[in-house]
Amino acid sequence: MSSNPNISLTRYLIELQRSNQIIPSELRLLLEVVARACKSISHAVNKGALGGVLGSAESENVQGEIQKKLDIIANEVLIEANEWGGHLAAMASEEMDDIYPVPNRYPQGEYLLLFDPLDGSSNIDVNVSIGTIFSVLKKPEGGAVVSKEDFLQSGAQQVAAGYCVYGPQTTLVLTVGQGVVAFTLDREQGSFVLTQNQFKIPEDTQEFAINMSNMRHWDEPVKRYVDECLQGVEGPRGKNFNMRWIASMVADVHRILTRGGVFMYPWDKREPNKAGKLRLMYEANPMSWIIEQAGGASTNGRERILDLQPSQLHERVSVVLGSKNEVERITAYHRGA
Ligand code: P6P
């Protein structure tokens, strides 16, 4: 872990822009605004009961899930931070049914921002890590008025993706297609400082993450994979496995990015008409790009997630991501190998 207190997020993005024109200034500004919003969300999360932000908001989101007060606070922070800057055409959020076009009183930009403002919110009230996940797309050319269809692009079209995990540290993880970098919030300076400038996920692992309580509902390929892991060194894998499940995708993915592992939230028989629990556009796509940029892999059990063509803004997807060789094995089992 390389920490360089002299490299702030701002300096990193300016030097990246200067070095290879990878990120236009509008995208750099967008990423800085998102980072500032994450700083505000982190502040609210850290206050917890002292800020009166815990507990339910007594409302439901588009997914039919009960919203926590912090879900709504985080969503409002991201909307208010990003709507006036002139770099966005519209936003989409797990917490909002329809897209949020930038109000006419502000200049329109060329980017689309999608986010899960506070992922893992079932963990908020029990003080377990949660996070913000975001994805940036370019608004398609033409078309005077931005529409929901403009968002329906495959994950391979993302121009930036990241998450901020609100845990023992507040850490912003980012990719713009040049590998993956991490910045830790220095609360004394009030700025994100570069603390990891390259991640490489080990291709093999002995650690898997899945909600085991759903075992009886899994499809056979998932049952086979997990059963082989549980057989340990005496079984076909010839090694013992450990299991983790934080029930906060941001935290599970950050662990895998840091030390390897495989994360699964597969389709199961509880709701057979749903492809999975996690959302494609603002959870699976950004996390999949980050994992691939760090040398890992991410499929829906059969196909590369970043290649999937979305048909709905809030569509769900089955997710298998992490150490490359494990993802390939699980995918091969699904394909009937
Ligand atoms: P379960 C959080 O609600 C979330 O969307 C992901 O962050 C997490 O991986 C998953 O759901 C946990 O789901 O069914 O284990 O509570």
Side-chain angles (χ1 to χ4, degrees):
M1 180 79 77
S2 59
S3 169
N4 184 331
N6 300 320
I7 306 285
S8 67
L9 173 67
T10 301
R11 177 175 166 184
Y12 173 82
L13 291 175
I14 287 172
E15 290 181 347
L16 192 62
Q17 178 189 345
R18 188 185 301 150
S19 64
N20 54 20
Q21 298 305 312
I22 275 287
I23 53 168
S25 56
E26 286 302 288
L27 179 57
R28 176 171 63 80
L29 285 170
L30 167 55
L31 294 174
E32 291 213 65
V33 170
V34 171
R36 273 199 297 278
C38 289
K39 219 175 354 178
S40 303
I41 295 168
S42 171
H43 183 72
V45 166
N46 286 169
K47 273 195 172 293
L50 297 176
V53 295
L54 299 184
S56 167
E58 317 289 318
S59 56
E60 277 191 3
N61 64 14
V62 64
Q63 327 288 346
E65 296 163 339
I66 296 293
Q67 290 176 303
K68 301 284 190 178
K69 288 177 189 168
L70 270 171
D71 283 322
I72 294 175
I73 292 168
N75 192 63
E76 287 168 356
V77 166
L78 282 158
I79 296 282
E80 288 161 17
N82 282 286
E83 64 179 349
W84 51 269
H87 39 263
L88 286 181
M91 293 178 249
S93 166
E94 179 189 72
E95 302 303 331
M96 300 186 301
D97 191 3
D98 207 341
I99 65 169
Y100 181 89
V102 167
N104 291 333
R105 64 183 179 277
Y106 299 124
Q108 306 286 302
E110 60 179 321
Y111 294 105
L112 304 174
L113 178 65
L114 304 93
F115 46 83
D116 179 356
L118 206 58
D119 173 69
S121 39
S122 62
N123 286 320
I124 294 172
D125 298 346
V126 293
N127 200 14
V128 170
S129 298
I130 49 184
T132 297
I133 309 172
F134 62 91
S135 170
V136 183
L137 296 167
K138 285 203 72 173
K139 177 181 173 299
E141 298 294 327
V145 179
V146 65
S147 68
K148 191 178 275 190
E149 287 64 34
D150 289 337
F151 283 80
L152 300 182
Q153 304 176 41
S154 70
Q157 303 304 312
Q158 293 175 101
V159 293
Y163 63 82
C164 194
V165 51
Y166 311 117
Q169 303 95 44
T170 287
T171 301
L172 179 74
V173 172
L174 179 66
T175 186
V176 292
Q178 303 285 304
V180 181
V181 288
F183 303 84
T184 302
L185 180 60
D186 177 337
R187 293 191 186 281
E188 288 159 18
Q189 289 185 54
S191 63
F192 281 105
V193 174
L194 182 67
T195 45
Q196 176 64 289
N197 57 12
Q198 61 188 20
F199 286 93
K200 181 74 178 75
I201 299 174
E203 296 194 345
D204 294 300
T205 184
Q206 291 179 243
E207 195 163 68
F208 67 90
I210 193 167
N211 183 336
M212 292 292 285
S213 69
N214 300 324
M215 184 182 286
R216 64 189 181 284
H217 305 302
W218 296 337
D219 208 353
E220 287 311 311
V222 176
K223 285 181 179 174
R224 174 185 174 188
Y225 175 76
V226 172
D227 183 53
E228 289 178 352
C229 291
L230 296 177
Q231 289 180 52
V233 66
E234 295 83 22
R237 301 301 309 276
K239 57 185 181 179
N240 294 324
F241 280 75
N242 195 7
M243 193 215 92
R244 289 285 183 274
W245 188 249
I246 306 174
S248 180
M249 186 186 196
V250 174
D252 279 315
V253 167
H254 192 69
R255 183 191 61 255
I256 289 167
L257 188 67
T258 306
R259 70 183 191 210
V262 62
F263 170 97
M264 293 164 278
Y265 210 114
W267 170 93
D268 69 45
K269 299 166 187 160
R270 288 175 296 170
E271 295 185 276
N273 298 329
K274 283 184 181 176
K277 172 177 185 184
L278 301 177
R279 290 82 174 178
L280 175 61
M281 298 302 295
Y282 40 79
E283 289 177 332
N285 275 343
M287 291 309 206
S288 297
W289 196 26
I290 289 166
I291 290 292
E292 286 196 3
Q293 281 288 309
S298 178
T299 74
N300 64 359
R302 289 178 171 77
E303 305 151 276
R304 181 179 180 239
I305 280 184
L306 294 182
D307 291 338
L308 298 178
Q309 178 53 46
S311 55
Q312 292 173 31
L313 186 62
H314 298 291
E315 76 181 62
R316 297 172 188 262
V317 68
S318 175
V319 178
V320 177
L321 62 77
S323 293
K324 195 180 181 79
N325 292 341
E326 293 304 306
V327 173
E328 287 176 355
R329 173 185 290 267
I330 298 164
T331 303
Y333 289 178
H334 278 81
R335 290 176 180 165

